[in-house]
Amino acid sequence: MIHCDDLLGVDAAIDTTPLCPYPGSNDENNEKHRRAASQWENTITDVGQRFSSFAEFREALHKYSIAHGFTYRYKKNDSRRVTAKCKVEGCSWCIYASRLPTTQLICIKKMNAKHTCDGAAVKAAYRSTRGWMGSIIKEKLKVAPNYKPKDIAKDIEREYGIQLNYSQARRAKEKAREQLQGSFKEAYSQLPLFCEKIRETNPGSVATIVTKEDSSFHRLFIAFHASISGFQQGCRPLLFLDSTLLYAKYQGTLLAAIGIDGNDGVFPVAFAVVDEETNDNWQWFLSELKSAVAMSCPITFVSDFQRGIRESLQNVFGEECYHSYCLHYLAEKLNNDLKGQFSHEARRLMIQDLCAAAFAPKLESFERCVENIKAISPEVYNWVSRSEPEHWANAFFGGARYGHLMSNFGKLFYDWVAELNELPITQMVDGLRGKVMELIYARRVESSQWVTTLTPLMEQKLQIDASKARSLHPLPSHGSTFEVRGESVEVVDIDQWDCSCKEWQLNGLPCCHTIAVSEYLGRSPYDLCSRYFSTESYHATYAESINPIPHLEKPIKGEPDMEHMVIVVTPPPTKRPPGRPKMKKADTFDIVKRQMQCSKCKGLGHNKKTCGKVNNIDEQDPLLLNGLITVELEETAISMELESSLPM
């Protein structure tokens, strides 16, 4: 087995090591390397061979030198011509290529394929250079862009007998991808041009870059015209704010505002890449967002209650918005504060009651839920009372959330980010653009076949309530007010769009009581639905398209066209730490986990070594609004809790 610590780069090195077997290599491994090199023997053929670019020619030359066992150096290497000679002094091997007149093609003009040195005599061996390993991995990445480091190491060992550890394979992958897609550093320098291209190809889009005083990257805001128009024309005034870490070379954080279409589908509106998640960056993002998607009505935001969002929303939008605390984070906060205080079952019941209180449509049902908490612990009841229910409970919240109480609604978008976030920044942003472009096109085509008044999901919900309405008995009271009798007695004011059950007001669709009244009056229930659920509004959401952006060519040093660039952007100072990136843990556990029990005091959540050090619930600030909590919950886990708590 071969152990190699040097096969990590992919630079097309000019001066490379001569061909020689690795120490300790065996005939089987040598044969593997001979087969690997033989596939590149004809990457360079003869005079007249053409290439689409100098980069393609240089790569072919590098592979050719590996296969034929010699090293070379460049005599000329610029944007107009490339001349290379064998590295051995006096050897006659040489090659010259230049651009064909009036074309972008590169052609070999001269070539002497014969060596007068000993370089070609050792081609049965293989090259122990960074370039050799890089070329191998680069070929694999072309076929499988999501090639994982562990799979790289496994395949290299199986096919070539070289053993790489995870870190070596990851760095080799990064270098190979850098050659295929451009360097991370170079991508930052391309950002001003990239933003300009976005605005040129997609008029009405917003693409803003901000640098620090030293010209290093600070933040980037992107909102495509199709997203802005779609949100304004067809989406509910409801946005979900969240963030996710990026794991590329220079790290950073992506902030996003996700809308929701009339069929409850994810609709990305705007996003930003910032050097780090700070209050200042959140305020900047929200300021750019407000400018981009100006609305005539207040917007409801659903987000975490920490990390600067709360204060930033107040500073930027003031009275023009409603801020809903994400129930996902609120439940996790309570669960963390309860650890060590109560048994697993008691915590499960109290969190279940908290979720039921959040969804409770009326004050009476809300109070019933919190009284259940009080019966278990008055202290936790006080925690809930001080947690600002007006920001999370349906019974008090002033905005419209349409039944969506958690900020992780945009999971589809964040899955895209996870798929692309190790790319250079321009590649990642363009990849997200492509994903949204495809989404808009696919939904436009799909919805063109719809024949219902409402979107399919909303049509289904309406029909369910319509079937319930058949067993109800509406009785006229006065004017537009009706009493509706069934399992309960509710009051409907159809002109004021009000039902005492509150479901109509909360969800935007007429409840069964309202439908019963509309049928009594001979009115269509479709006239009582929010306009955001209509197929017409859905079509307006996806009416505009996102246009492709031309590929940004790598700037070539010395070219006069590149010397007058006004803004020079350098990468942020933060770099990824060494070792395997720490990705989010798999969310596989429930919101309430069983705890250890102390053998000394029989208390929960600690052992005898930490006995007496358990923190109580913070009496002064139950939400710790300026702190930071690490959330590792699975959306489906808390959703299961919520669904079991929903009022029928």
Side-chain angles (χ1 to χ4, degrees), residues 544-555:
E544 300 289 338
S545 300
I546 293 180
N547 299 320
I549 298 174
H551 176 68
L552 296 177
E553 295 291 339
K554 296 181 182 180

Side-chain angles (χ1 to χ4, degrees), residues 29 165 291 306 365 415 485:
N29 286 334
N165 60 35
S291 176
Q306 300 183 42
S365 50
D415 286 345
R485 295 181 179 180

Side-chain angles (χ1 to χ4, degrees), residues 134-147:
S135 296
I136 292 288
I137 296 174
K138 202 158 63 171
E139 292 299 321
K140 293 179 178 291
L141 281 176
K142 288 179 180 178
V143 179
N146 295 322
Y147 202 20

Side-chain angles (χ1 to χ4, degrees), residues 226-227 267-268 435-445 541-546:
S227 296
F267 187 76
K435 295 283 189 182
V436 179
M437 179 179 71
E438 290 181 88
L439 180 77
I440 289 176
Y441 175 79
R443 289 182 176 171
R444 183 193 303 130
V445 171
T541 301
Y542 296 101
E544 300 289 338
S545 300
I546 293 180

Side-chain angles (χ1 to χ4, degrees), residues 48 111 137 147 157 377 391:
M111 180 179 179
I137 296 174
Y147 202 20
E157 180 180 340
S377 169
H391 285 286

